[in-house]
Amino acid sequence: MSESFKCARCAKCCQTYWITLLPEEAKGLSKFLKVPSGKFLKEYCVLFLQAFPMQKRDFSNPLVISRKKFSGKIGARLSRKSSAGFFLCLPSIALRREKKNCIMLSRRLDCKVHSKRPGQCRLFPLISLDSKTDLKKAYSFCKGLKGLESIDLRENLKHYKKVKAYFESVKKKGFQKAWKQFPEKGVLLLDKEKICGISQKEFFRLFGP
Ligand code: SF4
Ligand code: SF4
């Protein structure tokens, strides 16, 4: 993160985004909270499936899934929002949200795990997968960005490499090998919009061994 960035601690980002975790971040958080990892995943996390419409099928990528593979209700909800026949589906685990807030956000708007917060939080708002994104425009609600003169995305690039390595390992070895223990409930998003809940059974039907 750029040294000149000053977070105004307004917690708007904690009230806006789903925070996905890398397996090592989940381990670090369960240790920090002194709860066994299975309990941490059950109480603090959800299975997180983010789907992006694809123009055409891609047999070389196991994360590209046909809409037909989504079962009845979920498939129908997805169809209401997108007519695409295929979706790039990124399976992950995210922190739960309660009344739209991250579960780690206290009533006083402090982060309960500040020193161990995930990379996505540590880097925000200097985070982007595309260096051409105008961050001031994309995160116009972030007061800390307002007076910032130069934007340094080097830390973001390091984090992005880890995220990329995670999805490569999911592609090669499967989601279940990457995690081993799982939350019981999940959510399905179409890009950034939550579509519906998704059960563990349905999630594993799509990303089973
Ligand atoms: S983990 Fe902490 S910093 Fe990250 S979104 Fe949740 S409350 Fe905010
Ligand atoms: S990073 Fe920005 S949006 Fe998040 S708490 Fe700090 S000032 Fe607010």
Side-chain angles (χ1 to χ4, degrees):
M1 169 123 357
S2 162
E3 281 175 24
S4 52
F5 178 79
K6 296 267 183 301
C7 173
R9 310 208 62 164
C10 64
K12 285 264 175 10
C13 47
C14 315
Q15 295 166 320
T16 304
Y17 297 111
W18 287 93
I19 303 299
T20 51
L21 302 174
L22 292 168
E24 64 264 29
E25 290 175 335
K27 259 187 220 157
L29 283 170
S30 69
K31 211 169 158 189
F32 181 79
L33 293 167
K34 298 191 174 73
V35 289
S37 44
K39 192 173 173 192
F40 168 75
L41 291 169
K42 189 175 162 194
E43 292 185 2
Y44 293 90
C45 300
V46 284
L47 291 161
F48 187 80
L49 183 53
Q50 197 168 17
F52 300 91
M54 299 275 293
Q55 297 301 327
K56 50 182 183 180
R57 63 207 301 183
D58 177 356
F59 288 118
S60 67
N61 187 347
L63 299 182
V64 174
I65 290 182
S66 161
R67 186 171 49 79
K68 289 181 196 153
K69 276 195 134 191
F70 286 89
S71 73
K73 258 189 199 168
I74 295 175
R77 287 197 178 182
L78 207 50
S79 300
R80 258 182 248 149
K81 297 283 178 182
S82 169
S83 59
F86 293 86
F87 297 89
L88 171 66
C89 291
L90 302 182
S92 174
I93 285 180
L95 289 174
R96 267 176 51 196
R97 297 180 66 76
E98 287 183 339
K99 294 183 188 155
K100 297 201 174 167
N101 290 351
C102 170
I103 191 167
M104 298 302 181
L105 191 65
S106 76
R107 283 193 187 168
R108 301 180 59 180
L109 302 184
D110 289 323
C111 174
K112 294 177 196 166
V113 293
H114 185 75
S115 64
K116 272 282 165 197
R117 66 200 187 286
Q120 208 183 318
C121 311
R122 207 168 18 84
L123 294 169
F124 189 86
L126 306 183
I127 188 161
S128 168
L129 298 186
D130 171 5
S131 56
K132 288 183 195 131
T133 305
D134 181 344
L135 297 181
K136 288 191 183 183
K137 211 169 163 186
Y139 307 128
S140 56
F141 60 86
C142 176
K143 292 177 189 164
L145 261 182
K146 292 219 158 57
L148 197 65
E149 280 173 16
S150 66
I151 287 179
D152 182 351
L153 287 175
R154 273 175 297 180
E155 286 300 315
N156 163 64
L157 290 176
K158 278 190 215 162
H159 181 69
Y160 176 54
K161 273 189 191 160
K162 286 189 196 171
V163 174
K164 214 173 152 197
Y166 162 75
F167 283 115
E168 282 305 317
S169 117
V170 169
K171 263 198 223 169
K172 279 190 199 133
K173 299 179 190 163
F175 180 77
Q176 302 201 20
K177 279 230 167 76
W179 284 94
K180 300 186 181 72
Q181 288 176 299
F182 311 95
E184 286 173 353
K185 294 179 182 167
V187 289
L188 169 67
L189 275 80
L190 182 63
D191 204 331
K192 292 187 182 75
E193 185 188 359
K194 183 179 168 188
I195 299 293
C196 57
I198 181 167
S199 67
Q200 196 189 65
K201 197 173 160 197
E202 175 73 1
F203 198 94
F204 287 168
R205 210 175 57 72
L206 296 165
F207 295 102

